[in-house]
Amino acid sequence: MDKQQLSKDILKLVGGEENIDQVTHCMTRLRFNLNDNGKADKATLKNTPGVMGVMENGGQFQVIIGNDVPVVYNALVGNMSKSPDAKPAAAATGGKKKNSLSAVFDFISGVFTPILPAITGAGMIKGIVALLLTFGWIDATSSTYIILSAIGDGAFYFLPIILGISTARKLGSNMYIGAAIGASVMHPTITALLAPGENVSFIGLPVVAATYASSVIPILIAVWLASYVEKAIDKVTHASLKLIVVPTVTLLIIVPVMMIAVGPLGVIIGNGLTDGINWLFNNAGLFAGLLVGGAFSLLIITGMHYALVPIMIGSIATLGYDYLIPLMMVANFAQAGSALGVSLKSKNKQIKSLSASTGVTALMGITEPAMYGVNMRFKKPFVAALIGAAISGAFISFFQTKAYVMGGLAGLSGIPMIIGPTFVYALIGIVIAVVASAILTYILGFEDVPEAVPAATTTASAEPVTPVAADVNSSASAVSAVEEEKAQDQEVFSPMTGEVKPLSEVPDPAFSEEIMGKGFAIQPTEGRVVSPINGTVFSLSKSGHAIGLVSDNGAEMLIHIGIDTVKLKGQFFSPKVQAGAKVAVGDVLMEFDREEIEKAGYTTITPVIITNMHQYESIVSAGRTVIKEQELLYTAKA
């Protein structure tokens, strides 16, 4: 099927680009907000090759594509002259407001997550330059050193511009106005004008000297204020003048306000946070490290660690070092140690292999598979990791261990961050974190999975299993490896605890009419999803509501948590795996707040379906009406 041609056909049949207000996609369908649904040729769309179905729901015009929807969406966007991204809407949270603390964490996370690649890349280069300089492999006066230093420093020096773009994007305002605000205070003439000791005023109001290079708080506050000013000016300005008036007035108001009030206030807040952290570690180092090191993994689970990112950046920018980054590193290494401890202790070959591989991944700084797939699954290893991180945190904080650049993952790849006078203590702390957590895991023990259990949960077929490589963007390549081989019976175990329902009871024709595939639905009584098969996660929706899997036998599956829950935009969903992860029956894939989702007005009934049913003859139910995790749900008969 030609995806490019399909996208052109869809664009034409929904009434053309001029009829599209917004368009996005979930795991299986294109979701249009059309100016006039009546202009869409629904009948022709339904009969278009590549389109599984068409439906209207909640004001959205939905075109069901299946697992190839990301490819079709990208082709569709490429054929449009304007950005189709969905605008921020109050309905995104189902009308339910977040509490203030959650809103702050969501804001900080949304601002800093997109810019982490730039900061990470620049930070790694700074670390490499420091390494080259330390070993005398480069001269500090050479042009090579100067150029490399500029590459490493650029993202940090011009951080207000980068943050201006990201903050505006998060707030739904004009990103380029955000960039212009940051660029204004970074202009060389302003930098020189605000040099300490100079008396500066603007229309008679005093401008306090402040250094904006590498700053964080001032631009966050300024762009937040700008978002309100921009919207207010936009409301009272005639459409023909918006392009000129809105950005002009916004800049004229916000940049002076930033220089007169916001900038100095932001600098005071930023310096206060930095000074407070430094005071804590300078005066109560051992206890501070014990507390923060032991709690860091908990902060990561709740997302609260994002609140520390501005402090880390501010510390390195103003002081040249940071105490928190080494603690984050030892917390990650402790998770690796516990996973490796599970590998040493477990008698189950599958668990030994899983924990060893996720432990190695955690050593590289990617801790989610080890943390969620092993340590939290067996509980005591997670406790051991917290204790190991606390012990290591106390050690490195006692010796005032620091990070000198920010960049790279908080694992072995992030070693350049800690190269400096306290490097040896940092390395010892890492060893303590890994070894202490592994030993504690071995001593505390855990409820191991008997070898017979995973053996029983594999497919009943005696034929050899063909591994399938995962494709995080599309299932097509994942299935192609087994497409030509004879399909095998596939046992599907329950991914959640709840009541088994026929697909006909799902309030969505894409599922109730078995357009997407066949299987059963579950009305969950708990907010957790585990893997129903042994295989690979080939896709995970950005909003977290849908998970695509391909089994080791080639069965392609979709677990769709709730109906229309894509509109929650990730709220109340907490993914525990990433696309590409290998999983076994019972591995935790997702946690979700069932009660909050239902309070927001969405059903949580969850279809669990086989989407490549052309390889199977029928679905045979296990006969359960009430089911628990990992109990047999149904078998796809080849």
Side-chain angles (χ1 to χ4, degrees), residues 171-241:
L171 295 170
S173 55
N174 191 296
M175 294 186 292
Y176 304 103
I177 292 179
I181 293 170
S184 298
V185 296
M186 290 301 299
H187 195 280
T189 56
I190 296 297
T191 302
L193 184 67
L194 297 180
E198 296 291 332
N199 293 321
V200 182
S201 65
F202 178 76
I203 57 173
L205 298 172
V207 176
V208 181
T211 301
Y212 292 100
S214 304
S215 65
V216 174
I217 305 296
I219 191 68
L220 293 179
I221 298 174
V223 176
W224 174 69
L225 292 174
S227 68
Y228 287 97
V229 173
E230 181 184 340
K231 291 168 186 174
I233 301 300
D234 184 80
K235 285 182 180 179
V236 299
T237 304
H238 190 273
S240 62
L241 299 174

Side-chain angles (χ1 to χ4, degrees), residues 149-171:
S149 295
I151 297 172
D153 288 333
F156 292 96
Y157 184 84
F158 292 103
L159 193 59
I161 298 175
I162 298 174
L163 280 174
I165 295 171
S166 186
T167 305
R169 179 179 179 274
K170 173 63 180 174
L171 295 170

Side-chain angles (χ1 to χ4, degrees), residues 402-424:
K402 306 174 180 71
Y404 300 92
V405 296
M406 186 170 183
L409 296 171
L412 291 176
S413 61
I415 291 294
M417 295 190 293
I418 55 176
I419 294 176
T422 59
F423 182 52
V424 173

Side-chain angles (χ1 to χ4, degrees), residues 185-514:
V185 296
M186 290 301 299
H187 195 280
T189 56
I190 296 297
T191 302
L193 184 67
L194 297 180
E198 296 291 332
N199 293 321
V200 182
S201 65
F202 178 76
I203 57 173
L205 298 172
V207 176
V208 181
T211 301
Y212 292 100
S214 304
S215 65
V216 174
I217 305 296
I219 191 68
L220 293 179
I221 298 174
V223 176
W224 174 69
L225 292 174
S227 68
Y228 287 97
V229 173
E230 181 184 340
K231 291 168 186 174
I233 301 300
D234 184 80
K235 285 182 180 179
V236 299
T237 304
H238 190 273
S240 62
L241 299 174
K242 287 181 187 291
L243 181 62
I244 298 173
V245 174
V246 175
T248 303
V249 176
T250 301
L251 288 172
L252 282 175
I253 292 174
I254 293 300
V255 175
V257 167
M258 181 177 180
M259 296 173 65
I260 294 168
V262 172
L265 176 62
V267 170
I268 291 170
I269 294 173
N271 289 342
L273 291 172
T274 300
D275 292 343
I277 292 293
N278 288 326
W279 180 91
L280 181 65
F281 283 94
N282 289 331
N283 292 276
L286 187 148
F287 298 103
L290 185 76
L291 178 63
V292 178
F296 222 110
S297 291
L298 298 175
L299 295 178
I300 291 171
I301 291 172
T302 60
M304 292 173 65
H305 65 295
Y306 282 109
L308 301 177
V309 174
I311 300 174
M312 296 175 185
I313 295 174
S315 293
I316 290 176
T318 58
L319 302 175
Y321 59 82
D322 175 66
Y323 288 115
L324 294 173
I325 293 173
L327 290 170
M328 180 167 60
M329 292 184 71
V330 298
N332 285 355
F333 279 108
Q335 294 293 336
S338 285
L340 295 174
V342 171
S343 181
L344 292 172
K345 183 82 171 178
S346 177
K347 303 300 182 184
N348 184 308
K349 292 180 181 179
Q350 188 178 34
I351 298 300
K352 288 177 77 71
S353 175
L354 173 67
S355 53
S357 61
T358 57
V360 171
T361 303
L363 288 175
M364 299 306 297
I366 304 171
T367 58
E368 285 83 357
M371 186 187 300
Y372 297 118
V374 177
N375 299 339
M376 293 182 70
R377 174 183 175 184
F378 293 110
K379 298 180 179 65
K380 287 183 180 179
F382 183 69
V383 174
L386 298 183
I387 297 172
I391 295 170
S392 177
F395 173 84
I396 64 174
S397 296
F398 180 78
F399 290 101
Q400 296 188 338
T401 306
K402 306 174 180 71
Y404 300 92
V405 296
M406 186 170 183
L409 296 171
L412 291 176
S413 61
I415 291 294
M417 295 190 293
I418 55 176
I419 294 176
T422 59
F423 182 52
V424 173
Y425 300 119
L427 291 182
I428 295 173
I430 288 171
V431 172
I432 291 173
V434 175
V435 174
S437 300
I439 292 174
L440 283 168
T441 297
Y442 199 91
I443 294 172
L444 292 175
F446 51 89
E447 189 176 343
D448 200 7
V449 178
E451 190 73 44
V453 172
T457 60
T458 56
T459 183
S461 172
E463 296 181 28
V465 176
T466 304
V468 182
D471 183 336
V472 300
N473 293 317
S474 170
S475 62
S477 62
V479 177
S480 64
V482 295
E483 193 77 48
E484 296 179 359
E485 297 198 13
K486 186 180 183 300
Q488 304 175 38
D489 289 356
Q490 177 66 58
E491 290 182 331
V492 177
F493 297 85
S494 180
M496 53 177 58
T497 297
E499 296 180 51
V500 180
K501 303 284 187 181
L503 287 180
S504 59
E505 293 189 21
V506 178
D508 185 327
F511 297 108
S512 62
E513 297 175 11
E514 298 185 340

